[in-house]
Amino acid sequence: MRHNLLNDTVIILCGLLICWSPSVHAFPFITKEAEMVKLPPARSDGHLSIESVLSLRRSVRSYSQQPLSLNDLSQLLWAGQGISSPDNLRTAPSAGALYPLELYLVAGLTTNLSPGVYRYSPEQHALILIKKSDQRRALSAAALHQESIAEAPACFVITGVYRRTAKKYGERARRYVQLEAGHASENILLQAAALKLGTVVVGAFYDDEVQRVLDLPEDHEPLLVIPVGFPR
């Protein structure tokens, strides 16, 4: 009896270790092939007032083929979800500071960055490679073939993980997460205007197709696509 009890205990402990170990299945972004790109530090001051940037912001759907710099991408990513305080609070407000948003970059024409799909890590201010190769045309097809997505040098995709907010706010989580996507997207739009870049918010797309193109986990629901580039 004692021998069987010991065996059962070992089996249970092993099962727990398997369930909680940082495996690819538990944490889909941790892989042997994962590559991290450290981003240049973001600036916290600029030459334009907030009033000037608000007056400059317009929706732009046609872009030149001038590549985006890693400095500009760094600034845009930080504006959307970057850490802006010593206590790890971010640039966009979040209900309960639970931060359910994930920010992805679909890179095409970018300097010092290979084409591919990346996830932004606010804690490290870095990009984590998710998928190699230029996926802008595939993302455009998932968004009803909108040419602005295929033409822009890069696109941002904001996704929401509802369970992070639901654990505190229950059914209200869906509204809060969608509001946060609006906060983050406006930050990106205003930062782009300050950098003299063009952007537009795209909400028309097939969610499951965007998930497939970006290799997203099932609980990362696409909310917005934001192409960005120099206006044509």
Side-chain angles (χ1 to χ4, degrees):
M1 180 70 69
R2 184 177 178 181
H3 178 71
N4 290 338
L5 179 61
L6 179 60
N7 286 344
D8 291 345
T9 303
V10 170
I11 292 171
I12 291 170
L13 288 174
C14 289
L16 288 173
L17 286 172
I18 291 171
C19 290
W20 288 101
S21 63
S23 66
V24 174
H25 298 291
F27 300 94
F29 302 117
I30 300 176
T31 67
K32 293 179 180 179
E33 296 79 20
E35 297 178 20
M36 181 179 293
V37 179
K38 291 293 290 182
L39 293 165
R43 304 184 308 276
S44 58
D45 57 356
H47 302 296
L48 297 176
S49 67
I50 187 65
E51 293 85 1
S52 298
V53 175
L54 285 167
S55 67
L56 288 172
R57 191 220 59 79
R58 293 293 181 272
S59 294
V60 175
R61 294 178 174 83
S62 184
Y63 308 98
S64 75
Q65 293 305 289
Q66 180 178 346
L68 291 174
S69 72
L70 201 57
N71 283 326
D72 285 347
L73 291 174
S74 170
Q75 200 66 35
L76 291 163
L77 290 160
W78 175 82
Q81 279 291 285
I83 291 175
S84 56
S85 74
D87 50 356
N88 290 325
L89 297 177
R90 300 187 189 179
T91 53
S94 175
L98 296 172
Y99 301 116
L101 301 185
E102 293 287 346
L103 184 54
Y104 290 85
L105 171 67
V106 181
L109 290 174
T110 52
T111 59
N112 299 317
L113 184 68
S114 299
V117 178
Y118 299 82
R119 181 180 68 92
Y120 176 55
S121 170
E123 296 79 11
Q124 298 162 304
H125 191 55
L127 290 170
I128 300 172
L129 179 64
I130 303 300
K131 188 174 186 178
K132 293 182 178 180
S133 77
D134 190 344
Q135 297 296 317
R136 291 175 297 162
R137 182 62 63 180
L139 182 60
S140 172
L144 310 179
H145 296 279
Q146 295 182 68
E147 194 60 28
S148 60
I149 294 174
E151 184 182 79
C155 297
F156 297 102
V157 179
I158 298 175
T159 71
V161 185
Y162 290 104
R163 59 179 172 78
R164 295 180 190 169
T165 303
K167 65 184 181 183
K168 182 174 182 179
Y169 295 107
E171 294 181 359
R172 204 68 172 173
R174 195 162 194 88
R175 177 174 297 188
Y176 290 165
V177 172
Q178 291 170 351
L179 286 171
E180 289 179 33
H183 303 326
S185 64
E186 183 69 1
N187 282 6
I188 294 172
L189 299 183
L190 293 178
Q191 182 67 79
L195 296 171
K196 298 183 179 179
L197 297 169
T199 57
V200 64
V201 174
V202 176
F205 49 77
Y206 296 107
D207 295 14
D208 55 347
E209 282 299 300
V210 172
Q211 284 187 314
R212 182 187 61 79
V213 169
L214 273 59
D215 282 350
L216 298 179
E218 290 184 3
D219 60 348
H220 288 219
E221 184 170 318
L223 299 174
L224 294 169
V225 177
I226 306 174
V228 59
F230 289 94
R232 188 186 294 276

